[in-house]
C-alpha cells in the first residue's frame, strides 16, 4: 500500500515537473516570453563565433559553432537568457541571448544554387537591374513592404522581391 502511494506521488511529481519544464521551452504555450518580444522572430548573429548548444544551459554540449557574423536566424523559443534558433537550412539549437543582435539581415534564396537573384534599382521589376546576387549572400535588410525589400551589402544596394529572402516573413513590413 505504501509503495503504491509512493509510486503515485512519483508519477504526479514527474507529470508536474514535465509540464513545468515543457512550458518553459515552448513559446506556443505562453503569450509571454522572457524578453517580452514576439516568438517567432528573426535576428542575426552578433559575432563570428557563436556556440550552439543542445539545450539552454552552458552544461549542455556545443552541437556546432556558427562562424559567420550577421547570419540571420529565427528565434523559435526562449528559456531564461537562452534562445532556441533555427537557421536557413533548418538546423536548431540554443544560443545565449547576448550573442544575438536585433539587426535584420537575410540570406538570398533561389530554387537552384546556380541561379542569380536580380536586385533592382527600385521596387519595380521593370526598373534597371542594379546587381545579380548568388544564393547564400547575406544582405542587411533596410526596409520591406508590398512584397519588396530594400537590401544592401558589400558592393550592392537595391530592391529585391521579398520571396527571395530567408530572414523576412512573407508580407512582413520592416522599417
Amino acid at each position: 500500500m505504501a509503495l503504491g502511494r509512493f509510486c503515485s506521488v512519483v508519477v504526479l511529481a514527474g507529470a508536474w515537473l514535465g509540464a513545468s519544464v515543457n512550458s518553459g521551452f515552448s513559446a506556443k504555450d505562453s503569450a509571454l516570453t522572457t524578453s517580452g518580444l514576439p516568438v517567432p522572430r528573426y535576428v542575426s548573429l552578433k559575432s563570428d563565433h557563436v556556440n550552439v548548444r543542445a539545450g539552454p544551459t552552458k552544461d549542455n554540449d556545443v552541437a556546432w559553432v556558427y562562424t559567420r557574423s550577421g547570419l540571420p536566424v529565427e528565434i523559435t523559443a526562449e528559456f531564461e537568457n537562452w534562445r532556441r534558433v533555427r537557421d536557413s537550412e533548418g538546423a536548431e539549437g540554443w544560443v545565449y541571448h547576448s550573442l544575438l543582435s536585433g539587426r535584420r539581415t537575410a540570406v538570398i534564396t533561389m530554387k537552384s544554387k546556380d541561379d542569380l537573384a536580380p536586385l533592382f534599382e527600385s521596387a519595380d521589376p521593370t526598373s534597371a537591374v542594379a546587381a545579380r546576387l548568388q544564393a547564400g549572400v547575406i544582405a542587411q535588410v533596410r526596409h520591406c513592404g508590398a512584397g519588396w525589400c530594400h537590401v544592401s551589402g558589400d558592393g550592392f544596394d537595391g530592391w529585391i522581391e521579398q520571396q527571395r529572402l530567408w530572414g523576412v516573413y512573407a508580407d512582413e513590413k520592416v522599417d
Side-chain angles (χ1 to χ4, degrees), residues 44-59:
S44 60
L45 301 181
K46 195 181 281 188
S47 168
D48 60 2
H49 184 93
V50 174
N51 290 334
V52 181
R53 297 184 180 270
T57 68
K58 287 190 178 190
D59 294 335

Side-chain angles (χ1 to χ4, degrees), residues 2-175:
L3 180 59
R5 254 184 283 149
F6 175 74
C7 289
S8 297
V9 170
V10 170
V11 169
L12 287 173
W16 176 79
L17 180 59
S20 67
V21 169
N22 286 338
S23 67
F25 286 79
S26 176
K28 293 178 185 176
D29 293 343
S30 173
L32 299 176
T33 60
T34 304
S35 66
L37 298 171
V39 171
R41 69 180 180 278
Y42 285 108
V43 296
S44 60
L45 301 181
K46 195 181 281 188
S47 168
D48 60 2
H49 184 93
V50 174
N51 290 334
V52 181
R53 297 184 180 270
T57 68
K58 287 190 178 190
D59 294 335
N60 284 280
D61 290 337
V62 174
W64 71 89
V65 177
Y66 285 121
T67 59
R68 198 168 177 191
S69 177
L71 185 73
V73 292
E74 182 181 32
I75 294 177
T76 60
E78 296 183 357
F79 179 75
E80 296 175 357
N81 288 328
W82 293 86
R83 307 296 179 257
R84 187 174 63 206
V85 299
R86 177 181 14 222
D87 64 25
S88 63
E89 296 176 2
E92 285 189 283
W94 291 89
V95 172
Y96 197 70
H97 75 104
S98 65
L99 298 172
L100 301 172
S101 168
R103 185 173 70 110
R104 294 296 297 271
T105 62
V107 174
I108 307 303
T109 60
M110 299 299 293
K111 288 181 182 170
S112 168
K113 293 245 182 213
D114 296 331
D115 290 344
L116 299 175
L119 187 68
F120 297 96
E121 287 186 1
S122 65
D124 179 354
T126 62
S127 68
V129 174
R132 295 190 185 277
L133 304 176
Q134 290 181 312
V137 167
I138 295 177
Q140 184 165 344
V141 178
R142 304 279 185 200
H143 172 79
C144 291
W148 288 88
C149 291
H150 180 203
V151 298
S152 64
D154 191 19
F156 65 89
D157 187 348
W159 291 84
I160 190 167
E161 292 174 294
Q162 198 160 346
Q163 67 183 2
R164 299 271 182 229
L165 301 175
W166 190 93
V168 179
Y169 296 109
D171 300 322
E172 179 184 9
K173 291 183 181 7
V174 177
D175 293 322

